Amino acid sequence: MHGHQAGEKGGNMNTTQTYAFVDLETTGGSAAHDRITEIAIIRVDGETVSRYQTLLNPQAHIPPFIAAITGISNAMVADAPTFATVADEVWTWLQDCVFVAHNVRFDYGFLKQAFARVDKEFNPEQLCTVKLSRRLYPEHKHHGLDQLIARHGLRMTQRHRAMADADAIYQFWRIVQQSFDAKTLQAACQKVMNKPGLPVALNPLNIDKIGRASCRE
């Protein structure tokens, strides 16, 4: 599964900004030790919506409990490309975009590590939809993707597959655009945006250690 398509309408997007709604499936939770098994990107540039999706050979074993959650087996990725093979293509898809993900530090951490292994420094602006949901809907306690799917009636075809999950956060983004005025939404986004850059003393290769905790559901 490797390819892309374009031609959808993006809806009422900020035409001055391009967004990349991203979801990854991985062999585990550590960006330093685990690897990506699937990547999906929905790139929204004004009215143009393009989609990219591919399975990846992680060159590592997928544990049975991870395979049970994602539905991605070792056999499915055996003939898939490695990240290094598609790195330039993925890099192009993510250039000049706000990087949007649910628990963004997790997906960002894995991609930062993967790009670092092919000598690319990945430092996009980041927007976490967990944090955005928390700010826009403070009356709710939980803001995990399952809660957003139920709360907003998001369409879900195959939970824990990269394109379906990326599409869910894209649907959420379109809903909040319709539910809040532009000024309110812009202010909320500015509050939760993660600017690139790390403290000088922090080794970027240890980014995974702060990944999940910084964007708790």
Side-chain angles (χ1 to χ4, degrees):
M1 190 187 305
H2 181 204
H4 64 272
Q5 67 182 68
E8 300 174 48
K9 290 296 185 181
N12 184 29
M13 293 303 234
N14 173 2
T15 55
T16 64
Q17 183 61 66
T18 303
Y19 299 84
F21 297 86
V22 180
D23 188 78
L24 309 178
E25 302 304 330
T26 66
T27 61
S30 168
H33 304 292
D34 295 306
R35 297 293 186 268
I36 302 168
T37 57
E38 188 174 40
I39 180 170
I41 303 167
I42 301 175
R43 183 181 170 104
V44 181
D45 185 359
E47 291 294 313
T48 302
V49 182
S50 307
R51 294 172 182 256
Y52 174 88
Q53 178 182 20
T54 186
L55 287 168
L56 293 173
N57 185 333
Q59 300 177 290
H61 182 72
I62 302 173
F65 78 97
I66 295 290
I69 293 171
T70 64
I72 300 172
S73 66
N74 288 288
M76 287 172 61
V77 299
D79 295 324
T82 64
F83 183 83
T85 303
V86 300
D88 287 343
E89 188 175 13
V90 173
W91 181 266
T92 300
W93 274 81
L94 295 175
Q95 282 306 288
D96 304 316
C97 291
V98 174
F99 183 94
V100 188
H102 210 65
N103 288 321
V104 71
R105 296 293 281 181
F106 177 82
D107 301 270
Y108 163 70
F110 267 87
L111 279 170
K112 185 175 181 65
Q113 291 277 20
F115 278 125
R117 294 184 191 105
V118 293
D119 298 319
K120 290 180 180 290
E121 185 176 355
F122 186 56
N123 285 308
E125 286 190 309
Q126 302 149 46
L127 175 61
C128 180
T129 45
V130 173
K131 291 182 177 180
L132 184 61
S133 177
R134 190 182 296 132
R135 180 160 288 273
L136 293 174
Y137 301 96
E139 68 274 19
H140 295 290
K141 183 178 180 180
H142 299 293
H143 299 270
L145 191 54
D146 288 326
Q147 283 78 31
L148 265 61
I149 291 166
R151 190 176 301 148
H152 300 287
L154 307 181
R155 299 183 310 275
M156 174 52 61
T157 55
Q158 197 173 6
R159 182 74 171 93
H160 294 298
R161 289 301 298 269
M163 183 55 76
D165 287 1
D167 189 67
I169 63 171
Y170 174 45
Q171 291 175 56
F172 171 71
W173 175 252
R174 297 185 73 173
I175 285 171
V176 299
Q177 284 197 313
Q178 296 165 3
S179 302
F180 297 90
D181 63 84
K183 185 177 180 180
T184 300
L185 183 56
Q186 182 180 23
C189 287
Q190 287 176 342
K191 287 287 187 181
V192 301
M193 288 278 284
N194 289 332
K195 300 298 182 182
L198 295 169
V200 173
L202 181 61
N203 180 352
L205 296 183
N206 292 328
I207 191 72
D208 64 292
K209 294 181 180 178
I210 62 173
R212 284 293 193 186
S214 66
C215 206
R216 198 171 292 116
E217 296 177 0

